[in-house]
Every structure is written in structure tokens, then in C-alpha cells.
């Protein structure tokens, strides 16, 4: 089960609204949604939480690029909403690299054998590919992103990294927005 909310900073404090992410397919869509909730291009935070598995915070300040923090990237990668936050840039990948490699393999018909070489039926391998190190497409376990995303709003990096359960409530409390977030929970 997911929970998603927007916290928009105003002159009078924070305003909260629950958020339906059904029409959100990309980080750009999510950023546009946050900007629409902004008052005078002030800070907007998007909170996404999947029970106790992971949570994410996206911070949008005016027209600046969004800043993202995900508490557990590997858990978020198994979630459709988490995949929105785990951009190639955040994961340190070349944008579109997976699509390019897949297209090239399909184009040249690579199946792991050389032309004219029969496929072997035994399970032995002659490749030493298993020793190449970590999978570059693997999503790291644990926190990922901008750990300082809330530092200037009252939640230091070290405290953000220690949050596990009830994280969004603790974040809202540190921001002075616990009551407004609770109204949309």
C-alpha cells in the first residue's frame, strides 16, 4: 500500500494535500505536479511511502531540477512509483544506456555464440564473465540520492539516514508540518 502527499511551503507555513499518482509516469510528470502546487515558486516536497519497505522525498524549488532521496533503492526498484524516482542520473547510469544496448543486441542478433559455432548442450561455460565485478545495472541496497535534501529545512543528513518506520511523520515533525500532513494521511 502506498501513501503519497505534497507539502507546499507558504508564507503561513506548510500546506498538505494527498496526491494521486495514477497519472504520473515519469519524474518530469511528478515535478510538474509539484510545481502546480507551489505558491510563488516556493519549496514543494513530494512524499511517497510504501508501508515500511521504503520512502522517497522529492524536493522542487521553483524551476530548479528536483532533488531526490530514496531510503531503500533496491526496494523502491521493485515498485512502480519507486521506479519513477530511480532515474538513470540518480543511479549513475548513462541515460538510455539500457535501451541502446538492448537495441544493438537485437539488431545484430547476439545470442552468445559465434557465427557457425554450435551451441553446446552441456552446462559448462568457458567465459569468466562471473568475475567481472558488480552488475552495472544493479540497484544498490540502502539509501540513494541527496541526503541533504532537507538539511536547510530542519532535518540533518544523519537523522534522515536513520529513519525507517514512520519516516514521513518524523520528517514532517522536524519541518513543523506534522499536523498538516496528518490531515491528509
Amino acid at each position: 500500500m502506498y501513501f503519497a502527499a505534497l507539502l507546499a511551503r507558504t508564507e503561513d507555513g506548510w500546506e498538505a494535500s494527498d496526491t494521486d499518482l495514477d497519472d504520473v509516469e515519469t519524474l518530469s510528470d511528478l515535478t510538474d505536479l509539484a510545481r502546480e502546487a507551489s505558491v510563488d515558486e516556493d519549496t514543494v516536497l513530494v512524499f511517497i511511502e510504501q508501508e515500511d519497505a521504503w520512502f522517497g522525498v522529492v524536493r522542487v524549488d521553483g524551476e530548479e531540477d528536483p532533488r531526490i532521496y530514496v531510503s531503500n533503492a533496491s526496494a523502491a526498484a521493485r515498485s512502480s512509483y519507486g521506479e519513477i524516482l530511480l532515474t538513470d542520473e540518480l543511479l549513475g547510469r548513462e541515460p538510455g544506456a539500457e535501451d541502446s544496448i538492448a537495441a544493438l543486441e537485437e539488431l545484430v542478433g547476439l545470442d552468445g555464440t559465434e557465427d557457425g559455432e554450435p551451441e553446446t548442450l552441456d552446462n559448462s561455460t568457458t567465459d569468466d564473465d562471473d568475475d567481472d565485478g558488480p552488475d552495472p545495472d544493479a540497484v544498490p541496497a540502502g539509501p540513494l540520492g541527496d541526503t541533504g535534501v532537507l538539511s536547510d529545512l530542519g532535518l540533518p543528513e544523519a537523522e534522515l539516514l536513520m529513519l525507517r518506520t514512520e519516516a514521513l511523520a518524523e520528517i514532517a515533525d522536524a519541518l513543523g508540518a506534522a499536523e498538516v500532513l496528518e490531515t491528509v494521511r
Side-chain angles (χ1 to χ4, degrees), residues 68 70 72-79 81-91 93 139 144:
I68 305 166
V70 177
N72 185 332
S74 62
R78 295 185 297 270
S79 148
Y81 295 131
E83 287 179 345
I84 292 170
L85 304 182
L86 298 175
T87 63
D88 286 336
E89 182 180 341
L90 189 66
L91 293 167
R93 296 179 185 159
V139 176
L144 186 65

Side-chain angles (χ1 to χ4, degrees), residues 1 4 7 21 30 39 44 47 49 62-63 66 68 77 89 116 141-142 157 173 180:
M1 183 155 163
L7 275 181
L21 298 179
L30 189 61
V39 177
V44 176
F47 292 148
E49 178 181 58
E63 292 300 316
I68 305 166
E89 182 180 341
E157 292 180 38
D173 188 45
V180 294

Side-chain angles (χ1 to χ4, degrees), residues 47 55-57 67-71 143-151 154-164 167-168 170-171 174:
F47 292 148
F55 70 90
V57 177
R67 296 169 59 191
I68 305 166
Y69 173 79
V70 177
S71 67
L144 186 65
D146 185 348
T147 57
V149 68
L150 301 171
S151 293
L155 188 69
E157 292 180 38
E159 289 182 33
L160 180 64
L161 289 167
M162 292 181 355
L163 296 177
R164 296 291 175 255
L168 298 186
E170 290 186 43
I171 291 170

Side-chain angles (χ1 to χ4, degrees), residues 16 19 47 49 51 60 69-70 77-78 87 90 101 105 115 118-119 126-127 129 134 142 153 172 174 176 178:
T19 304
F47 292 148
E49 178 181 58
E51 294 174 345
V60 178
Y69 173 79
V70 177
R78 295 185 297 270
T87 63
L90 189 66
I101 291 170
E105 286 175 349
D115 288 340
E119 291 184 43
T126 56
D127 293 337
D129 290 341
L153 298 175

Side-chain angles (χ1 to χ4, degrees), residues 12-137:
D12 301 325
W14 293 95
E15 290 181 6
S17 59
D18 59 342
T19 304
D20 182 14
L21 298 179
D22 291 342
D23 295 330
V24 175
E25 295 180 10
T26 65
L27 179 60
S28 180
D29 294 342
L30 189 61
T31 302
D32 290 345
L33 185 68
R35 286 190 177 120
E36 289 171 10
S38 176
V39 177
D40 297 326
E41 294 189 4
D42 212 343
T43 300
V44 176
L45 302 174
V46 180
F47 292 148
I48 302 173
E49 178 181 58
Q50 182 185 5
E51 294 174 345
D52 290 332
W54 68 274
F55 70 90
V57 177
V58 178
R59 178 176 177 166
V60 178
D61 293 301
E63 292 300 316
E64 292 181 27
D65 288 341
R67 296 169 59 191
I68 305 166
Y69 173 79
V70 177
S71 67
N72 185 332
S74 62
R78 295 185 297 270
S79 148
S80 58
Y81 295 131
E83 287 179 345
I84 292 170
L85 304 182
L86 298 175
T87 63
D88 286 336
E89 182 180 341
L90 189 66
L91 293 167
R93 296 179 185 159
E94 187 71 31
E98 283 182 19
D99 297 336
S100 300
I101 291 170
L104 285 173
E105 286 175 349
E106 187 176 311
L107 180 66
V108 295
L110 295 178
D111 62 0
T113 61
E114 296 293 324
D115 288 340
E117 235 181 76
E119 291 184 43
T120 58
L121 296 177
D122 66 356
N123 290 334
S124 65
T125 60
T126 56
D127 293 337
D128 289 332
D129 290 341
D130 295 338
D131 298 330
D132 288 344
D135 179 2
D137 293 331

